[in-house]
């Protein structure tokens, strides 16, 4: 008697395809989006953090992008419980994370982060460090509350990102992601609302991209040629959900092209809802436009596996599980290359395994209150 295996579901067929990101082969098209959890006292990821990431890799996540990690610059952060990507103990903790993710069959990149003007005076881990940014502004229309960066400040931050990237390769990570989204330092330069500089780092979109492009170039120089560099960016900011870097595809191309030329291998286009078109006259979302304009590989993200606005979820309003047919259509059409899952995967560590095995009835709706107790 011949035993036949049922054909793989459409989701399994599309999402389970391996993909090469520069020199890294990722086993499938599912990434874990970076999500800050503040579970690393002293900036040191402990065994609970190791388990947190390894568990999701073992359950089928192909590429893990870690929570944001502060680079080695005193103004980079605002919490002593957010992990840092510098210091002997901190890097030893991260090396263990990478080792266990690899043992579970996954790949992993740290997200390297500087918060810039979001920092408040007196915040840990370095209370005396000033808030710094392109023009000392935290959002459009605000009065300056911090320090406009000098050339020395720019050089110091560029070096901090390059040193963190080199450390990532040295301790066994598979690549790095640079956090250029959501109103943090790199994004503060990209956005005209917070970049009022009149030197070479301010003005038109190309000039506003100069600082981020120099960071990318320094990182590219600090790591092996085959080591992938991801760059996360967004239109929206945590200070202003309606903010936009670019009103037209042409403006977006002017911002992204210098980053691509400097060495970005993969863009991670952060949106609040992946299914919404980015510009009038096209159904392409931000990730789709990014791929069309740069030719680079792109990760799409934004409420995958959820219904509704994530802000409402954090207010305590539940979000039911959303189907992913639209997502699969876009992946199949090569609008983008991978999909990052955030809150759905935070809620349900087995999300990827369930989707790849057609176990949709087992998926758990996102519950903002419940995830506070999950690991």
């Amino acid at each position: 008697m011949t035993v036949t295996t049922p054909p793989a579901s459409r989701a399994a067929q599309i999402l389970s395809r391996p993909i090469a990101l520069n020199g890294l082969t990722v086993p499938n098209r599912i990434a874990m989006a970076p999500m800050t959890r503040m579970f690393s006292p002293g900036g040191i990821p402990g065994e609970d953090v190791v388990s947190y990431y390894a568990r999701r890799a073992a359950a089928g996540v192909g590429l893990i992008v870690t929570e944001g990690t502060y680079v080695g610059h005193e103004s980079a952060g605002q919490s002593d419980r957010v992990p840092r990507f510098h210091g002997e103990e901190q890097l030893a903790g991260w090396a263990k994370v990478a080792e266990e993710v690899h043992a579970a069959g996954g790949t992993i990149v740290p997200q390297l982060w500087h918060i810039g003007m979001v920092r408040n005076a007196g915040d840990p881990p370095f209370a005396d460090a000033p808030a710094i940014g392109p023009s000392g502004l935290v959002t459009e229309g605000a009065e300056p509350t911090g320090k406009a960066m000098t050339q020395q400040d720019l050089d110091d931050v560029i070096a901090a990102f390059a040193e963190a990237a080199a450390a990532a390769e040295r301790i066994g990570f598979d690549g790095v992601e640079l956090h250029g989204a959501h109103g943090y330092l790199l994004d503060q330069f990209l956005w005209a609302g917070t970049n009022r500089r009149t030197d070479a780092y301010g003005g038109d979109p190309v000039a506003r991209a100069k600082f981020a492009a120099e960071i990318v170039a320094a990182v590219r120089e600090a790591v092996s040629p085959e080591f992938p560099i991801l760059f996360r960016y967004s239109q929206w900011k945590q200070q202003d959900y309606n903010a936009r870097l670019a009103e037209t595809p042409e403006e977006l191309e002017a911002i992204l092209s210098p980053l691509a030329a400097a060495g970005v291998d993969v863009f991670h286009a952060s949106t609040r809802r992946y299914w919404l078109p980015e510009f009038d006259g096209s159904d392409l979302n931000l990730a789709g436009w990014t791929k069309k304009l740069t030719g680079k590989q792109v990760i799409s993200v934004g409420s995958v596996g959820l219904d509704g606005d994530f802000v409402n979820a954090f207010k305590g309003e539940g979000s039911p599980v959303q189907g992913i047919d639209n997502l699969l259509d876009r992946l199949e059409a090569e609008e983008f290359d991978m999909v990052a899952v955030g809150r759905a995967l935070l809620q349900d560590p087995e999300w990827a395994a369930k989707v790849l095995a057609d176990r949709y009835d087992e998926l758990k709706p996102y519950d903002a209150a419940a995830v506070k107790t999950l690991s």
Side-chain angles (χ1 to χ4, degrees):
M1 182 179 69
T2 301
V3 178
T4 59
T5 302
S9 70
R10 180 171 179 244
Q13 291 175 345
I14 293 173
L15 291 171
S16 64
R17 296 172 298 162
I19 183 170
L21 309 178
N22 195 341
L24 172 67
T25 298
V26 178
N28 61 45
R29 303 303 177 99
I30 300 173
M32 180 176 177
M35 292 172 286
T36 298
R37 296 166 68 241
M38 301 179 72
F39 280 14
S40 298
I44 303 166
E47 288 299 324
D48 58 330
V49 177
V50 173
S51 175
Y52 168 74
Y53 288 116
R55 183 180 180 189
R56 284 153 178 83
V61 175
L63 174 68
I64 287 173
V65 183
T66 74
E67 62 208 284
T69 68
Y70 299 148
V71 296
H73 186 268
E74 289 192 349
S75 295
Q78 61 182 350
S79 170
D80 198 38
R81 294 185 58 84
V82 167
R84 304 200 283 272
F85 216 83
H86 60 97
E88 185 176 349
E89 289 183 277
Q90 288 82 0
L91 292 177
W94 279 120
K96 182 67 172 176
V97 171
E99 179 183 357
E100 292 301 315
V101 166
H102 291 154
T107 62
I108 185 168
V109 302
Q111 187 187 68
L112 306 181
W113 189 22
H114 193 303
I115 70 171
M117 283 302 306
V118 175
R119 176 179 167 77
N120 296 312
D123 280 347
F126 303 104
D128 294 336
I132 62 172
S135 306
L137 304 174
V138 71
T139 193
E140 187 172 26
E143 292 296 318
T145 57
K147 175 187 174 185
M149 294 172 71
T150 64
Q151 185 63 54
Q152 186 62 57
D153 293 326
L154 298 171
D155 293 344
D156 289 346
V157 171
I158 291 169
F161 273 92
E163 289 165 8
E169 184 171 27
R170 185 175 68 249
I171 66 175
F173 278 80
D174 299 301
V176 292
E177 176 169 284
L178 310 181
H179 195 342
H182 305 162
Y184 296 111
L185 181 61
L186 275 64
D187 196 17
Q188 290 160 22
F189 275 84
L190 296 177
W191 185 31
T194 45
N195 187 342
R196 301 300 187 185
R197 298 177 76 97
T198 57
D199 62 4
Y201 295 93
D204 64 23
V206 174
R208 296 198 307 272
K210 178 177 172 62
F211 178 53
E214 289 183 353
I215 289 175
V216 173
V219 168
R220 182 78 280 160
E221 181 69 22
V223 299
S224 301
E226 67 275 8
F227 196 67
I229 299 173
L230 287 66
F231 190 96
R232 197 178 210 212
Y233 84 99
S234 66
Q235 296 265 42
W236 68 274
K237 320 301 170 199
Q238 65 164 339
Q239 306 95 319
D240 185 349
Y241 292 131
N242 296 315
R244 295 177 68 80
L245 289 180
E247 295 293 343
T248 66
E250 291 75 19
E251 289 180 2
L252 185 61
E253 184 175 17
I255 293 169
L256 298 182
S257 292
L259 303 176
V264 170
D265 297 297
V266 183
F267 284 99
H268 189 173
S270 177
T271 57
R272 295 167 69 197
R273 305 172 188 89
Y274 77 84
W275 55 89
L276 294 181
E278 192 57 41
F279 300 112
D280 291 340
S282 170
D283 290 334
L284 291 176
N285 69 2
L286 186 63
W289 274 109
T290 301
K291 184 170 183 178
K292 180 177 181 178
L293 294 171
T294 68
K296 298 292 185 176
Q297 292 169 308
V298 182
I299 302 170
S300 187
V301 67
S303 297
V304 175
L306 304 175
D307 273 331
D309 189 325
F310 74 87
V311 175
N312 291 333
F314 279 110
K315 292 177 180 176
E317 301 172 17
S319 296
V321 174
Q322 177 183 300
I324 60 170
D325 286 343
N326 178 270
L327 179 73
L328 298 176
D329 290 343
R330 291 167 181 261
L331 273 169
E332 195 168 36
E334 298 185 345
E335 181 177 327
F336 42 77
D337 302 281
M338 296 186 69
V339 58
V341 182
R343 286 157 293 136
L345 192 54
L346 185 63
Q347 166 79 29
D348 185 357
E350 302 289 321
W351 189 91
K354 291 173 182 178
V355 168
L356 292 172
D358 245 353
R359 293 155 48 199
Y360 297 110
D361 58 333
E362 298 178 32
L363 291 173
K364 300 174 182 178
Y366 175 74
D367 183 334
V371 299
K372 294 179 181 178
T373 64
L374 296 177
S375 60

